[in-house]
Amino acid sequence: MSEPKLLNLTVPQLQERLVASGLSKTGRKVDLVTRLLQAQGPAESASTIEDKSAAASGGSASKDLPPVYHNPKTRLVEISFESLEELEKTIRILEVEAGKRYSLTMEVPLTQAALTMLAGSPLGRELEELDCRPEYEDSNPPVIDTSKVKFLKLRSLDLTHQAIKAIHFTADCFPLLETLSIDQPCARDQETFNTDLPNLRSMSYNFVTILDVKDFGRSLSRSPKLESFSGYKLWGLGRKAEHSLVLPSCTSLDFYRSDDLRKLKLWAPRLEDLNLQACYSIQTVTLLERRPPGFSGPEYQVTGEASKFVVNCANTSEPGGNLITSSRCKKVQREVDFF
């Protein structure tokens, strides 16, 4: 592909091509383009991107459409937007094809109006991945309310630097969601924590503060397929004395720098790693041997011997309760690992 064509691609699209070629994806946009130009084989024809845009739009290539990348590895049609105007134009023009899978990246913050428009569009109804990663803006950024929209085919949602009203994701609006990541939401704390996602496998929060955490434990427990939870600087958990977690599939549970977390009651028969590093307020972790009542579906049925696990207690006191003394605990890490 020629240099002008590469420069028309967005940074995520350039990074995807670099990863597929086994090259580093770090650096400025001009560095990414230079690396691709140096590494590419025979030049791609000048019409490639236009042909891809035409295929995605169902007709002739349109200059109103941003570049469209057909990822051969994921088989996703990937589109990236640098403005809300681009998003609105594409929603109007793009003819979504049945059987095709779509991924969308936003490089500017979403407004509630834009999110609602996307959710109600043919593109939104077929969307499987949504990645929002605008620049961090702490002065009156637009705030979105996910309880007001439905994305019935969405499987992956990554919100970075996107202001959000609350952690609210439920099965009626996000029934297929498997991966949820919220990183440094701008300008405001999250009002509540309420999730009910039966297909969720991975959940991650970084630099997030929750004002009302009474449903935190119930929320995680409603995701029986959850394998990995990470909460780095997930603050506000201490507003409730104890959180009960019922996690039949979870192997990794990470509360690194969740400073005010005080007490956990935990049923996790597949647990392999529990990170309590720098949980300065931790007092008690109670490991339950039996599944608590109220979780009787087949997703909560676990057979076989419970797993062994490692606990990271670096930079904090070892908690009371039976966690450390359990026969399942094979190692307690008390020092910080430096790589």
Side-chain angles (χ1 to χ4, degrees), residues 177-215:
L177 198 63
E178 297 176 349
T179 301
L180 174 61
S181 176
I182 296 178
D183 189 352
Q184 302 180 70
C186 297
R188 59 180 291 149
D189 298 336
Q190 278 55 70
E191 294 179 5
T192 56
F193 194 111
N194 178 36
T195 63
D196 182 4
L197 299 169
N199 289 297
L200 196 70
R201 296 184 181 275
S202 174
M203 183 184 283
S204 174
Y205 303 95
N206 293 319
F207 299 94
V208 171
T209 299
I210 312 295
L211 299 178
D212 183 348
V213 295
K214 67 178 183 294
D215 289 326

Side-chain angles (χ1 to χ4, degrees), residues 256 276-280 312-317 333-336:
Y256 181 27
L276 299 175
Q277 181 175 341
C279 291
Y280 303 118
N312 185 348
C313 292
N315 291 340
T316 192
S317 301
Q333 180 179 327
R334 298 179 175 87
E335 302 295 332
V336 178

